[in-house]
Amino acid sequence: MLRLRLVVSDAIGCPMLDATDEGRDQGGELDPTDAFLLSLFARIDTVAFATAAAAVASLTMFIATIALLIKGASPGYHIGPNLGSLSTFWPGYSVSWGGSIIGGAYAAVFGGIVGFALAIFWNFTQLVIVGLAALRVPPIGSD
Amino acid sequence: MTKRPIPLSAARRTVPIKQDTRLMAIDEGTIRRGIWLNSILLSMGFGLCCGLGLMLLTFLSLAITGDKAGYYLNLLGVFMPGYSVSPSGAWIGLFGAFIYGAISGLVTYQVYARTSGVEAFNRMVREHTLPRDAYRQATMRLSGKALGLALGLLLAGQLWLSSAWLIVRGTAAESKHAALLAHYLPGYSVSFMGAAIGAFWLFVYVFVSSFIFAQIYNRILDIRKWRGESQS
């Protein structure tokens, strides 16, 4: 735990952080500083993050489409010509009841990819930072 | 084979923190440095996503729609000087959107971390024991309220500033696309007051969406954690 604390402290630029191990890790309890340092470098669960992003994006697109359908348009006008232009990128999408399902599916894929990319980026960069700090901090016991 | 129900109480357990010391034991400088490090990371992540996303979208638009490209995307040029749907504009878009994303990421994490506070950080830690490589196993939990507040304030502020920019440059009356937001944001118009009303509604939508997002994320995390513990 001492080395972990030193590594993480170094990673965030606090080399002078308390480096004594006395009074810590007693009775299975976690020291607040350790808890904080660990939580700073807690990884994102990529599957959960991508799934949540996909679900919210899909729901948003679905609601955005049906909101226009419920509101309707003036006689002689199309409903949602601007939102409907998403069909340029999403073949098959339109501002219709069926289109809301198709749009929701496209948005789920898009949201999932963005969520997955963000989570991977976050985990990777943190791993690199902690890894580099681990290389800088000498093993405990060595001079 | 009967499925065991997910023990909610167990799934929500966190590492016990020493009650007597709790927050006071954490050096303020450590917290500040930690928050800034993660702010910069998120800012880079957001920046790259926005920059590469806009560049990809620009090239995709050119490839798919050809001469008609940029009917909507060109509107971004109002807020991003020099941007247009063209090969050179795509690179300007990459830079401009990177800056926009980076600032957004920075603000988001700063607000998130400072509103959820250290208590939320403590809740993120999921392990009950501390092996030597604990940081590899600790998995982040999200605070729905803090995320909603951070993203809600960010996007509401951006909507108001965008509308204000349209008013200041004197094109409010011509901004028919911006005015379409009134379909989703009741009371919105390209005026200072209308923008404030729209910003309020946007804050509400984003807050609710973020809260749902965090709930789904935490719930899936619990399920995956529970399955992992069941198999081991």
Side-chain angles (χ1 to χ4, degrees), chain A residues 43-70:
Chain A
R43 67 180 181 83
I44 290 176
D45 187 310
T46 45
V47 173
F49 200 81
T51 309
V56 171
S58 176
L59 192 67
T60 304
M61 193 62 214
F62 179 76
I63 291 173
T65 306
I66 61 170
L68 287 183
L69 287 172
I70 291 169

Side-chain angles (χ1 to χ4, degrees), chain A residues 72-100:
Chain A
S74 306
Y77 286 90
H78 289 294
I79 300 174
N82 293 288
L83 190 64
S85 62
L86 273 175
S87 61
T88 306
F89 300 104
W90 295 348
Y93 173 73
S94 63
V95 181
S96 63
W97 293 102
S100 66

Side-chain angles (χ1 to χ4, degrees), chain A residues 1 3-4 7-9 11-15 17 23-56 59-60 63-65 67-68 71-72 81-83 85 88-89 114 117-118 121-122 125-127 129-131 134 140, chain B residues 15-19 21-23 25-27 29-35 37-39 41-42 44-46 48-49 57 60-61 64-65 71-73 109 118 120-122 124-125 127-128 130-142 177 180 182-184 209-210 212-214 216-218 220-221 224:
Chain A
M1 196 60 221
R3 176 163 165 74
L4 175 64
V7 166
V8 176
S9 303
I12 63 170
C14 289
L17 199 71
R24 292 173 183 269
D25 307 336
Q26 291 178 348
E29 289 188 331
L30 177 58
D31 181 274
T33 304
D34 294 334
F36 174 71
L37 291 176
L38 284 176
S39 63
L40 272 181
F41 291 94
R43 67 180 181 83
I44 290 176
D45 187 310
T46 45
V47 173
F49 200 81
T51 309
V56 171
L59 192 67
T60 304
I63 291 173
T65 306
L68 287 183
K71 200 168 183 180
N82 293 288
L83 190 64
S85 62
T88 306
F89 300 104
V114 171
L118 263 177
F121 176 86
W122 180 266
T125 48
Q126 290 214 326
L127 192 66
I129 286 171
V130 173
I140 293 169
Chain B
V15 177
I17 308 296
K18 285 180 181 174
Q19 296 296 319
T21 48
R22 207 169 267 267
L23 302 182
I26 306 175
D27 173 50
T30 307
I31 296 173
R32 198 168 54 246
R33 283 168 185 269
I35 289 174
L37 174 74
N38 278 349
S39 299
L41 287 185
L42 191 67
M44 293 297 110
F46 264 32
L48 280 175
C49 267
L57 208 60
L60 207 59
S61 179
I64 295 174
T65 54
Y71 182 71
Y72 291 103
L73 276 179
Y109 195 83
V118 179
F121 278 120
N122 290 336
M124 291 176 186
V125 184
E127 274 61 39
H128 307 282
L130 284 173
R132 288 174 67 87
D133 58 349
Y135 71 88
R136 289 184 192 164
Q137 298 175 22
T139 309
M140 185 187 288
R141 289 179 68 78
L142 292 174
H177 289 100
L180 289 173
H183 285 302
Y184 298 106
S209 303
S210 303
I212 293 171
F213 175 84
I216 294 172
Y217 172 83
N218 289 337
I220 294 173
L221 195 64
R224 282 166 56 78

Side-chain angles (χ1 to χ4, degrees), chain B residues 57-199:
Chain B
L57 208 60
T58 306
F59 281 124
L60 207 59
S61 179
L62 283 169
I64 295 174
T65 54
D67 295 339
K68 294 177 184 172
Y71 182 71
Y72 291 103
L73 276 179
N74 274 337
L75 293 172
L76 283 176
V78 173
F79 306 100
M80 203 181 290
Y83 174 75
S84 63
V85 179
S86 64
S88 59
W91 291 99
I92 295 171
L94 169 70
F95 178 74
F98 176 82
I99 299 292
Y100 160 81
I103 293 170
S104 300
L106 195 75
V107 171
T108 301
Y109 195 83
Q110 284 285 321
V111 176
Y112 176 83
R114 289 172 195 279
T115 51
S116 65
V118 179
E119 284 298 321
F121 278 120
N122 290 336
R123 285 199 296 273
M124 291 176 186
V125 184
R126 302 276 300 133
E127 274 61 39
H128 307 282
T129 56
L130 284 173
R132 288 174 67 87
D133 58 349
Y135 71 88
R136 289 184 192 164
Q137 298 175 22
T139 309
M140 185 187 288
R141 289 179 68 78
L142 292 174
S143 162
K145 288 177 189 171
L147 187 67
L149 195 64
L151 288 176
L153 284 176
L154 176 79
L155 292 174
Q158 285 176 349
L159 177 68
W160 192 87
L161 285 174
S162 307
S163 305
W165 173 241
L166 292 175
I167 297 164
V168 168
R169 72 194 293 267
T171 54
E174 303 157 29
S175 304
K176 56 179 182 177
H177 289 100
L180 289 173
L181 284 174
H183 285 302
Y184 298 106
L185 309 171
Y188 174 80
S189 62
V190 188
S191 65
F192 288 114
M193 194 58 197
I197 295 169

